Amino acid sequence: MNDKALNTLEFNKIKERLEGYANSPKGKQLIHDLLPSTDISEIEQNLLETDAAMTRIGLYGNISFSGVKDVNNSLKRLDIAASLSISELLQISGVLTAAGRAKSYARDSEKAQEPKKPVPRAVRLNAHYTKNKPDPEKLKELTEDDSLSGYFRDIEPLTQINKEITRCIISEDSVADDASAGLFAVRKKKHVFEERIHSSLNSILNSSRSMLQDAVITMRDGRYCLPVKAEYKSAFPGMVHDQSSTGSTLFIEPMSIVKLNNDIKELEAEEKKEIEKVLETLSGSLMPYTETIHNDIEILAHLDFVFAKAKFAESMHATMPVLNDKYYISIIEGRHPLIDPKKVVPTTVYLGKDFDMLVITGPNTGGKTVCLKTIGLFQLMGQSGLFIPAKEGSELSVFEEIFADIGDEQSIEQSLSTFSAHMTNTVKILEKADSHSLCLFDELGAGTDPTEGAALAMAILNFLHNMKTRTVATTHYAEIKVYALSTPGVENASCEFDVTTLSPTYRLLIGVPGKSNAFAISQKLGLPSYIIDDAKSRLEQEDVKFEDVIASLEESRVTIEREKQEIERYKSEIEEYKRRARENSKGVEKGRDKILQKAREEAAQILADAKETADGIVKELRRQEQNGSATLDAEKTRSTLNKKLRETQASLSNAQKVKGPSKPVSAKSLHLGDTVHVASMNLNATVSTLPDHKGELYVTAGIIRTKVSVRDIELVDTGKVSGPGIEAPGKHKKGSTSGGSIRMQKTMGISPEINLIGMTTFEAIPELQKYLDDAYLAHLPQVRVVHGRGTGALRKAVHQQLKKLKYVESFRLGEFGEGQDGVTIVFFKSK
């Protein structure tokens, strides 16, 4: 990629901001050396690594790579068996500490992915576990690797060696006493001699106080001395080591401690040798692992680089672009990363599918150059493995070269005017551009005679168009607008201008050429109207007609856009009605299935009770016959049996057939909200709509909403029990299970939506899991998960969790009117 495009599109400023998120010098160096790639596989791998880092940060928090320094020179010294200094060993220890921190971070994330004990309810419900043993496929899914797992696995922190280094070396100028037995013995002996010297000097201080300038013990040339007044030099036996600047004080080493000072000097030499032995031992322990340490540095620097990209993307609320090799660009609501996020206006632009050249027109300060730079900078960022601040689904391609001619190229030193400088740059671009290139021109052909400039600009654009070069150019020339209108594969675009406020909106409108609005802007800035009228009279008739056509097109566009928004609103309402209808249909079908299933269960229970009763009576008859009981007793037993069988037969008939309403109601007596009993479904429900001319109405029971006939219902007292699974307050049917009641209460109590906004990932996932379990048990066909847009980390965590649940049939992002990418719609499998 050429340096001029990198500088013109301000890619270096992006790298400067990115460097602020790296912790290590080598990580910063990788960012400094970062250049766009032209290998789509390499770019996709880089983007996946950035995505994996963002996911890890969202799930497990950030990680620091501080302490990773370049110790290659020290490693080379180890390769030739040289002993390292204290500072060198501490730097290597810093690298190993960072390696251990990264390894621990990876282990924590792996533990977070492992299934906890007890096994989650959702896993139990879906039979992922059999006999309390994890299903291998499920376990593999839970611990699936991402694109960074290999890097973390290859890190070798050399924990034991690093512990020994940190134990022996306290700081850059201090080695621990217990670093070795020899060093401990030497320092212990040195301490004893120092105590003797202090004791002797304190005795002299007390006995010769009048001879001393101050009652202090001081050091000169590494030997203990006392400050003696100059006049007592001959009276104070000892060796003179120094004197004050005035000569009034002499620093004398008393004769009584000379031998002790000499002993300490010898011990200090021994101490130095022992320290060298310690450093030599520590260096020797590292010698077999120089290649391992070098690999650790490279891996940690790369991870620092990747996590810096992730943190940078998070700060911009950026997303991962979709790559293609068809030279197609589609940026959805892209925001220039170097403009204040509070002020930048999102831009939507596409190029390369229906047309390969885009001509942008419009007033000055309308956003044309920003749009141009956004396209070029996004391409450079995407091809460098960086996320772009745009909406999800934005697409970028991989270009062999990106050329940009933007800004004032005037050069006094090179005697180049603005036009000459731009044309020099354009000539270089035309020599190298081909169908694999992206060309960006700002004000092509400007700075010279308008007629000649427009002709040159059209010739240049036509040349690039014939070469199938993807090109975006800005201009004010009407001739180029006409060229774009009349040439297939070339499209007009304009930066919207609000004629009512006479200010730009910075929105890019593709398909509509823009007016320069010079007269309107000049009038707003205070130019007298008579001058503007004079200017209008000097325009050629063809130019006036063309500007009028553009103005008419603009009015038509505004009208069409307003109508389109109205149509979209109607469409969204229709889709919502259709969605509700589908949900109601699913609810009715599932509700009927549940009612039929319950009827079958009750019938089976009645048959079982009948069989048990019959078996008991037969046994009693046989016992009476064997004991020779009276015929009258046997007859009584048979009568009891016949009575029981008739009761059982009646109960079974009631369970298998549907009764009609015992108290039919008239359509006029019904009101919204009345509680009725639906005989065909044996279920209590609430009136949702009044009967129509056919006598049909809608009723609601829990999530079930269905149409019934007025002949099929009867009014019920809300305090009475009528219908399966519903009981009067304080009552419970003896001998029956409450499973139906629990399910009905769960169905009527569960919300079809959960809001996770404001929660962290660790807080949201357990809440989501519990809610989905309850919703599935309540037989909800689908639910709505509100996670918001934000950085996208919570949305990714939700989608990862949904992929793991076997009872989830599918899920999708919300559509227009549903919350779009701020919500996820989840569909459950049918039981």
Side-chain angles (χ1 to χ4, degrees), residues 634-653:
E635 188 61 33
K636 286 182 180 179
T637 303
R638 289 189 180 91
S639 299
T640 303
L641 173 59
N642 288 332
K643 183 179 179 181
K644 287 283 186 182
L645 288 175
R646 284 194 298 272
E647 291 175 355
T648 300
Q649 185 63 35
S651 299
L652 183 58
S653 299

Side-chain angles (χ1 to χ4, degrees), residues 652-659:
L652 183 58
S653 299
N654 291 335
Q656 291 179 337
K657 70 180 182 179
V658 178
K659 291 182 179 179

Side-chain angles (χ1 to χ4, degrees), residues 33 74 109 122 178 194 242 245 248 324 334 346 361 411 423 519 530 553 582 622 700 709 725 765 767 773 775 826:
D33 298 338
S74 300
S109 63
D178 59 348
E194 287 174 344
D242 198 4
S245 57
S248 60
N324 66 75
T361 53
S411 174
M423 192 51 60
F519 294 150
Y530 59 85
L553 284 173
R582 286 195 299 269
R622 288 176 179 171
T700 304
S709 173
I765 295 304
E767 289 292 328
D773 290 348
V826 183

Side-chain angles (χ1 to χ4, degrees), residues 292-307:
T292 300
I293 298 170
H294 177 75
N295 290 338
D296 282 350
I297 294 171
E298 296 300 319
I299 293 172
L300 292 171
H302 181 74
L303 289 174
D304 186 22
F305 168 57
V306 172
F307 275 82

Side-chain angles (χ1 to χ4, degrees), residues 342-399:
K342 296 178 181 178
K343 298 179 180 179
V344 67
V345 177
T347 299
T348 297
V349 60
Y350 47 91
L351 172 72
K353 185 173 286 186
D354 300 323
F355 51 89
D356 53 36
M357 181 173 290
L358 188 65
V359 176
I360 304 176
T361 53
N364 289 323
T365 71
K368 301 189 300 296
T369 304
V370 170
C371 179
L372 209 60
K373 285 190 172 183
T374 301
I375 296 170
L377 185 56
F378 274 25
Q379 268 299 145
L380 294 176
M381 292 174 66
Q383 290 184 225
S384 301
L386 301 177
F387 281 19
I388 58 174
K391 197 173 180 181
E392 281 195 8
S394 296
E395 284 193 54
L396 298 175
S397 190
V398 180
F399 292 97

Side-chain angles (χ1 to χ4, degrees), residues 324-330 350-359 372 375-376 379 397-404 429 433-441 461 463-473 489:
N324 66 75
D325 56 0
K326 299 177 181 178
Y327 306 106
Y328 170 60
I329 299 173
S330 175
Y350 47 91
L351 172 72
K353 185 173 286 186
D354 300 323
F355 51 89
D356 53 36
M357 181 173 290
L358 188 65
V359 176
L372 209 60
I375 296 170
Q379 268 299 145
S397 190
V398 180
F399 292 97
E400 297 292 332
E401 274 290 358
I402 297 175
F403 300 102
I429 292 174
D434 56 21
S435 59
H436 308 307
S437 305
L438 172 65
C439 293
L440 307 171
F441 294 100
L461 292 177
F463 172 77
L464 292 170
H465 178 53
N466 292 335
M467 289 179 55
K468 302 297 182 183
T469 303
R470 303 298 186 264
T471 307
V472 184

